[in-house]
Amino acid sequence: MSIVFYWHPMSSASPVASALAELGVSHERVKVDIRTGEQRRPEFLARNPNGKVPTLTVDGAPMFEALAIQLWLGERYGVERGLWPAADAPERLLAMSWCAWAYVSYGAVLSRLYLAGHGEAPRKDAAQAQAAMDDLDTLLAVLDGHLAGRAWVLGEAYSLADLVIGSVVGYSAYLGARIAAHPHVAAWLGRVQARPAMQGDI
Ligand SMILES: N[C@@H](CCC(=O)N[C@@H](CS)C(=O)NCC(=O)O)C(=O)O
């Protein structure tokens, strides 16, 4: 299987870079310089009409959206490597739920925080940023409750779900989310971020 990964460092493509490294998937990596507009070139738009990284091609067939790519990698490579639950295991349900929670539920609030706290006028708004931070706290409390008594999201063993969720929660920490107020999340995030696949050129 020939996989080409289009990415830019320290971007939405970074979790996919970590997932490929964690799973040991052999691939070609192509840097798309999103600061100079390479993502708007016609040949790139043909692979991803959104003009964004990450984008993947699998035997020439394109795929986009970081969550979709990571779930596909889990199914295709993670099961055989013991890093993603089998389709009929109850943990698969948990993995899908928490990964969607991270990108959809938590991610929506994170976008609000980014726009209100770090965006440009007129979207920059201290009160809205505070409200988003409070809403993240509510969601982090839910994750904290889930992680109480569990080392990893699926239980005893590290999985790709930890990488997927940890990447989103880690980005929120970078934007100022109050991770330290949620001790189980803080300890788990430290373990996730210590994985070799989360280091280096991602
Ligand atoms: N929802 C998309 C977001 C992708 C995204 O926003 N990528 C940014 C980099 S962080 C990008 O390529 N931006 C280039 C542009 O918008 O022109 C995903 O998760 O894949």
Side-chain angles (χ1 to χ4, degrees):
M1 189 164 267
S2 156
I3 294 185
V4 184
F5 171 42
Y6 298 87
W7 79 303
H8 184 95
M10 303 301 286
S11 74
S12 301
S14 299
V16 174
S18 293
L20 287 163
E22 187 72 67
L23 294 165
V25 176
S26 119
H27 62 282
E28 179 192 346
R29 197 191 275 205
V30 176
K31 183 174 172 185
V32 178
D33 194 339
I34 58 174
R35 295 163 308 183
T36 61
E38 285 182 355
Q39 73 278 22
R40 290 189 290 277
R41 288 184 179 167
E43 62 271 26
F44 187 77
L45 291 172
R47 297 183 192 101
N48 181 352
N50 300 288
K52 293 190 188 296
V53 293
T55 296
L56 205 71
T57 59
V58 181
D59 291 336
M63 175 170 206
F64 50 84
E65 286 294 332
L67 174 60
I69 294 170
Q70 290 173 93
L71 294 178
W72 179 78
L73 288 171
E75 286 177 11
R76 176 61 184 80
Y77 298 100
V79 177
E80 65 198 35
R81 287 155 168 76
L83 286 167
W84 190 247
D88 52 0
E91 289 80 12
R92 171 66 77 91
L93 311 180
L94 211 52
M96 298 289 282
S97 299
W98 280 106
C99 290
W101 176 90
Y103 268 85
V104 180
S105 301
Y106 195 87
V109 182
L110 196 49
S111 294
R112 281 171 44 210
L113 174 63
Y114 176 77
L115 290 172
H118 305 263
E120 315 251 308
R123 283 171 157 173
K124 201 167 164 84
D125 181 319
Q128 289 296 329
Q130 186 56 51
M133 200 71 96
D134 293 347
D135 289 346
L136 282 186
D137 259 336
T138 302
L139 289 166
L140 286 168
V142 176
L143 180 59
D144 203 66
H146 177 74
L147 288 169
R150 282 184 184 87
W152 304 104
V153 167
L154 301 186
E156 303 273 295
Y158 170 83
S159 73
L160 203 64
D162 296 292
L163 186 157
V164 173
I165 302 152
S167 296
V168 178
V169 174
Y171 179 58
S172 76
Y174 173 74
L175 293 185
R178 294 184 283 256
I179 305 298
H182 307 277
H184 302 295
V185 173
W188 161 82
L189 187 59
R191 289 192 291 277
V192 174
Q193 291 182 331
R195 303 281 300 183
M198 302 293 270
Q199 326 296 323
D201 203 16
I202 58 167

